């Protein structure tokens, strides 16, 4: 899993299966009906265990077609948000700029309702096609997505997103490009992008910022083994030096404990711990 997560952490899965088409993905899911498996997109929000995964991993990144038709973009579940943003730009479609620097796929992004800089996928995803473990295919739209903060209809369910329809607005190419550049500059100034991580380690607790609470506990730069609370952005835990998952978990617990002791606030990991 080291090779399939942005944290660069994790032992072996039974097998990593990388279907090339939506049809193959559904076939694989049907074949694995009675087996343990997990779906992985770009692995940018996942902490995988050091002793591996007792089950199959289905990785979606080859199912990555992105087609624009008018102001609707249809994207395969493994299309990266960056690729969708670039197709939006080519077609002078605005509304997806916020997501261009989030290093995930639309499938993983829809599950998480990924967001940044006042944008959220909930505002642009209009329809989603998904399948269950028997390979039955369904479509939902609008409020059926039950989007909330880092939450959707798909959170904690055993469904696989196959594709999403994204609705954007006509815009000016120069303005779209300018906004994307501005947001990505902000991102690289604020975030430790030169180290492996899974983005923000914690969800934003209501009324607070997790990074500020962690900083105010004096935890900036604190390490457990090879994992460190980023000196650049306290909301990020980075894999500084071949950290095993246990080191990251140690830091997650340390942050939770100290923040609770000092401020009485519970912070919940945003990273999915497998
Ligand atoms: C440097 C960095 C910066 C980041 N910045 C942001 C940010 O600004 N905003 C933000 O919201 N997130 C951010 N993230 C976190 C992450 O990129 C997002 O959560 C992203 O949407 C996850 O997509 P993914 O394809 O990598 O999902 P994965 O990590 O592969 O999976 C995440 C979850 O979704 C499930 N999943 C994946 N694909 C499917 C599918 N097709 N069907 C069903 N379930 C699926 C997985 O099983 C898992 O539970 C950042 C991460 C990094 C490393």
């Amino acid at each position: 899993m080291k090779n399939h997560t942005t944290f660069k952490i994790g032992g072996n899965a039974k097998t990593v299966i990388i279907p090339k088409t939506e049809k193959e993905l559904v076939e694989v899911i049907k074949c694995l009906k009675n087996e343990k498996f997990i779906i992985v997109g770009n692995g940018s929000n996942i902490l995988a265990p050091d002793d591996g995964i007792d089950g199959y991993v289905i990785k979606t990144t080859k199912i990555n077609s992105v087609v624009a038709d008018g102001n609707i973009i249809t994207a395969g579940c493994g299309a990266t948000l960056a690729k969708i943003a670039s197709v939006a730009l080519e077609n002078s479609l605005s509304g997806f700029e916020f997501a261009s620097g989030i290093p995930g796929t639309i499938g993983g992004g829809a599950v998480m309702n990924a967001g940044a800089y006042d944008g959220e996928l909930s505002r642009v995803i209009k329809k989603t096609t998904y399948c269950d473990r028997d390979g039955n295919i369904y479509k939902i739209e609008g409020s059926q997505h039950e989007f909330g903060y880092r939450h959707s209809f798909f959170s904690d369910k055993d469904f696989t997103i196959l594709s999403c329809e994204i609705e954007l607005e006509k815009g000016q190419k120069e303005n779209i490009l300018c906004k994307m550049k501005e947001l990505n500059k902000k991102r690289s100034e604020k975030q430790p992008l030169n180290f492996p991580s899974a983005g923000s380690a914690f969800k934003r607790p209501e009324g607070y910022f997790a990074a500020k609470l962690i900083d105010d506990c004096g935890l900036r730069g604190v390490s457990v083994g090879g994992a460190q609370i980023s000196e650049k952005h306290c909301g990020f835990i980075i894999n500084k030096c071949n950290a095993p998952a246990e080191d990251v978990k140690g830091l997650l617990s340390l942050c939770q404990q100290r923040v609770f002791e000092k401020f009485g606030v519970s912070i919940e990991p945003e990273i999915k711990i497998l």
Side-chain angles (χ1 to χ4, degrees), residues 207-221:
Y208 300 91
F209 289 102
K212 168 111 177 51
L213 294 171
I214 293 166
D215 198 10
D216 290 348
C217 287
L219 292 171
R220 184 180 289 267

Side-chain angles (χ1 to χ4, degrees), residues 199-205 208-222 228-231 233-237 251-260 262-263 265-269:
S200 295
F202 293 98
K203 292 185 184 175
R204 198 177 55 232
Y208 300 91
F209 289 102
K212 168 111 177 51
L213 294 171
I214 293 166
D215 198 10
D216 290 348
C217 287
L219 292 171
R220 184 180 289 267
V222 165
Q228 188 189 49
I229 294 170
S230 165
E231 293 186 28
H233 187 317
C234 288
F236 277 56
I237 291 178
L251 273 182
L252 288 167
S253 305
L254 180 68
C255 291
Q256 286 178 303
Q257 192 190 325
R258 292 282 177 82
V259 166
F260 192 75
K262 187 153 184 175
F263 300 105
V265 177
S266 298
I267 49 174
E268 188 197 331

Side-chain angles (χ1 to χ4, degrees), residues 39 41-46 103-105 108-109 111 114-115 150 159 161 187 197 199:
I39 305 288
N42 204 35
S44 65
N45 206 39
I46 283 176
T105 62
V111 172
R150 300 295 174 267
F159 297 141
I161 294 175
R187 198 175 269 279
S197 80

Side-chain angles (χ1 to χ4, degrees), residues 109-161:
V111 172
M112 301 299 300
N113 185 16
Y117 306 115
D118 293 331
E120 241 181 23
L121 287 177
S122 59
R123 302 214 193 118
V124 291
I125 294 178
K126 297 300 165 191
K127 290 182 189 166
T128 298
T129 306
Y130 68 96
C131 75
D132 64 16
R133 275 191 158 251
D134 294 317
N136 299 310
I137 296 176
Y138 307 90
K139 198 170 228 175
I140 54 168
E141 48 185 279
S143 62
Q144 290 175 307
H145 288 90
E146 295 171 14
F147 283 124
Y149 172 64
R150 300 295 174 267
H151 178 276
S152 73
F153 167 77
F154 299 100
S155 308
D156 308 315
K157 286 207 182 79
D158 221 358
F159 297 141
T160 300
I161 294 175

Side-chain angles (χ1 to χ4, degrees), residues 60-209:
T60 62
T61 45
K62 287 204 171 156
I63 305 163
N64 57 15
S65 72
V66 180
V67 178
D69 181 9
N71 62 338
I72 304 286
I73 289 183
T74 305
C77 58
T80 61
L81 299 174
K83 181 173 176 184
I84 298 168
S86 105
V87 171
L89 173 67
E90 272 165 38
N91 289 275
S92 303
L93 293 172
S94 174
F96 208 78
E97 297 88 332
F98 75 91
S100 64
I102 303 177
T105 62
I106 189 70
V111 172
M112 301 299 300
N113 185 16
Y117 306 115
D118 293 331
E120 241 181 23
L121 287 177
S122 59
R123 302 214 193 118
V124 291
I125 294 178
K126 297 300 165 191
K127 290 182 189 166
T128 298
T129 306
Y130 68 96
C131 75
D132 64 16
R133 275 191 158 251
D134 294 317
N136 299 310
I137 296 176
Y138 307 90
K139 198 170 228 175
I140 54 168
E141 48 185 279
S143 62
Q144 290 175 307
H145 288 90
E146 295 171 14
F147 283 124
Y149 172 64
R150 300 295 174 267
H151 178 276
S152 73
F153 167 77
F154 299 100
S155 308
D156 308 315
K157 286 207 182 79
D158 221 358
F159 297 141
T160 300
I161 294 175
L162 301 174
S163 65
C164 293
E165 276 180 39
I166 297 156
E167 192 179 352
L168 302 172
E169 284 173 3
K170 272 282 169 206
Q172 292 286 331
K173 218 176 226 178
E174 310 80 67
N175 297 346
I176 297 167
L177 182 61
C178 187
K179 191 161 180 199
M180 269 163 52
K181 281 190 177 160
E182 180 200 317
L183 296 182
N184 288 331
K185 182 163 173 272
K186 262 193 198 166
R187 198 175 269 279
S188 59
E189 280 168 4
K190 294 250 163 74
Q191 299 183 355
L193 302 182
N194 49 337
F195 287 103
S197 80
S200 295
F202 293 98
K203 292 185 184 175
R204 198 177 55 232
E206 204 150 338
Y208 300 91
F209 289 102

